[in-house]
Amino acid sequence: MPPTAERKGMPPKLIYLDTNLWNALCDQSVSPARVVEGLASQNARLTLGNEAVYEMAKTFRDSGDEGRARGMALFSHVYQYLAGQIPFVRVNMELVAAEMWALQRGSSMPETLLSPDDYATTRAELENLAHGELSQRVMEHIEWRVASAEATRSGQIAYLKDWPDVKRQLTNVSPEQFPQWLDVELRSQSSREHLAGQIKEHFPKATLEETAEWAQALLGSPIGRVAKAIVRRMLYYNWRCAHRESVSKDIYFDSNHILNASYADVYATKESKQAEYARLLLTPSTRIAIYDGVQGIEQWLVEQAATDLIGDGD
């Protein structure tokens, strides 16, 4: 048997799943242990993110008793993957904090996964969800996410209505011009201010000078994948809203997943429409894989693990 990549010292590929694919694994009654084993044979591992957990937890909120039963079934299935110690990704702003810390200590790669203690805490919370028990913290965060998404959407519509000159500038940027325009705008003062505002919200004790310095450093460094993606999402959101008069409610949540997958080797989803903007947010280090539902999800995942990555990094 030829030596595997893992035996040669290469780290396993990480495959980040959108919520719809965790649902597909549950619906197809796939054996979690077999999936973990099959991916390991290709030196790959699934990775779970808090974004996916919160999206799945919304199931309890949506449909009464039926939603609760579905949520319990879904989390009972997902919980079994933790027996294989699949990695767990930090939430997006914690990833930005990890990028800041990596810059400070001169590291080329931030710590993107949960610590053992945080992993154990999250594992216990998922076990509670599998039993239909939602903590107050989880319920409050779900409500905050839903409200935040709607506020972002309605606020952007109102902003462009009040500032027709800004809307005109955005509509003058064609889809063909947009990627290049995005690269230019990423280096603008308004982009630095947006990121600084996000950092200030996460670190309220930081001074405005400190957040401005961090924003400039992250946007100018190859380390800041998530920091740059946060700004790119804002710019895309504005541009799309200007062109279409509104933005789909799903984009806010879908883009959270995409940001959360910034350090994965593969971002896998069932939503083909996400490909339109996922490539604008992710670096070439992360390949986008769209599941079409034709073959079983287990076989498809193993094939994705066996596929060489597209691109050559940042």
Side-chain angles (χ1 to χ4, degrees):
M1 179 183 295
T4 64
E6 189 170 13
R7 293 195 186 107
K8 294 177 183 177
M10 294 181 64
K13 299 176 187 176
L14 296 182
I15 302 176
Y16 181 103
L17 300 188
D18 192 358
T19 309
N20 47 54
L21 293 190
W22 288 111
N23 276 274
L25 285 167
C26 179
D27 290 339
Q28 295 182 25
S29 301
V30 173
S31 164
R34 199 169 61 216
V35 171
V36 170
E37 182 179 353
L39 292 177
S41 71
Q42 300 297 330
N43 193 32
R45 304 179 77 184
L46 294 183
T47 181
L48 181 62
N50 267 307
E51 293 299 331
V53 170
Y54 284 121
E55 281 296 288
M56 288 186 281
K58 282 172 60 181
T59 306
F60 290 99
R61 174 183 181 272
D62 292 340
S63 308
D65 290 342
E66 183 179 342
R68 185 173 185 273
R70 173 62 181 176
M72 290 173 64
L74 184 56
F75 278 103
S76 294
H77 184 83
V78 172
Y79 181 75
Q80 295 178 61
Y81 288 88
L82 301 187
Q85 292 294 305
I86 65 169
F88 211 108
V89 185
R90 298 177 186 273
V91 297
N92 290 329
M93 283 309 299
E94 287 181 5
L95 289 175
V96 173
E99 292 173 344
M100 293 163 60
W101 176 236
L103 273 177
Q104 190 172 42
R105 70 175 189 268
S107 172
S108 60
M109 179 59 69
E111 297 289 338
T112 63
L113 304 177
L114 291 187
S115 67
D117 287 345
D118 288 339
Y119 192 98
T121 299
T122 302
R123 179 172 181 161
E125 194 158 71
L126 262 65
E127 185 175 16
N128 289 337
L129 288 166
H131 293 123
E133 301 168 8
L134 276 75
S135 69
Q136 186 67 26
R137 183 186 70 83
V138 171
M139 289 190 291
E140 288 176 355
H141 191 73
I142 290 172
E143 295 305 322
W144 174 84
R145 284 164 58 89
V146 172
S148 180
E150 183 52 39
T152 299
R153 180 172 175 268
S154 60
Q156 186 56 46
I157 294 171
Y159 173 77
L160 292 178
K161 182 178 180 179
D162 292 340
W163 294 89
D165 288 346
V166 174
K167 182 177 180 180
R168 192 176 305 112
Q169 291 172 14
L170 290 168
T171 54
N172 285 338
V173 179
S174 69
E176 294 74 23
Q177 296 169 326
F178 182 71
Q180 184 177 0
W181 177 87
L182 193 61
D183 290 338
V184 172
E185 285 299 309
L186 189 65
R187 299 189 290 271
S188 69
Q189 178 65 26
S190 61
S191 291
R192 291 193 294 273
E193 290 174 355
H194 176 75
L195 180 59
Q198 297 291 305
I199 295 172
K200 177 67 175 175
E201 186 174 335
H202 193 69
F203 296 102
K205 293 183 180 180
T207 67
L208 295 177
E209 291 77 11
E210 287 171 336
T211 57
E213 289 176 4
W214 278 120
Q216 183 169 354
L218 287 168
L219 293 179
S221 168
I223 291 176
R225 292 188 193 179
V226 180
K228 293 186 185 73
I230 285 173
V231 175
R232 285 175 172 268
R233 173 175 64 175
M234 178 270 294
L235 293 167
Y236 173 76
Y237 206 93
N238 292 350
W239 176 83
R240 179 165 173 149
C241 187
H243 278 260
R244 306 189 188 189
E245 303 294 335
S246 184
V247 179
S248 168
K249 294 180 180 180
D250 293 337
I251 288 182
Y252 180 86
F253 297 114
D254 290 344
S255 61
N256 278 338
H257 283 295
I258 295 167
L259 266 61
N260 216 204
S262 292
Y263 288 94
D265 297 288
V266 178
Y267 172 64
T269 180
K270 196 176 181 180
E271 296 293 333
S272 59
K273 291 181 180 179
Q274 287 188 28
E276 177 184 340
Y277 53 91
R279 177 48 59 209
L280 298 170
L281 305 183
L282 296 170
T283 73
S285 295
T286 302
R287 181 168 60 84
I288 301 164
I290 308 296
Y291 176 58
D292 61 11
V294 173
Q295 64 185 137
I297 182 67
E298 179 182 357
Q299 179 185 351
W300 183 83
L301 285 171
V302 173
E303 289 181 3
Q304 297 311 307
T307 302
D308 290 334
L309 294 180
I310 298 173
D312 54 2
D314 295 333

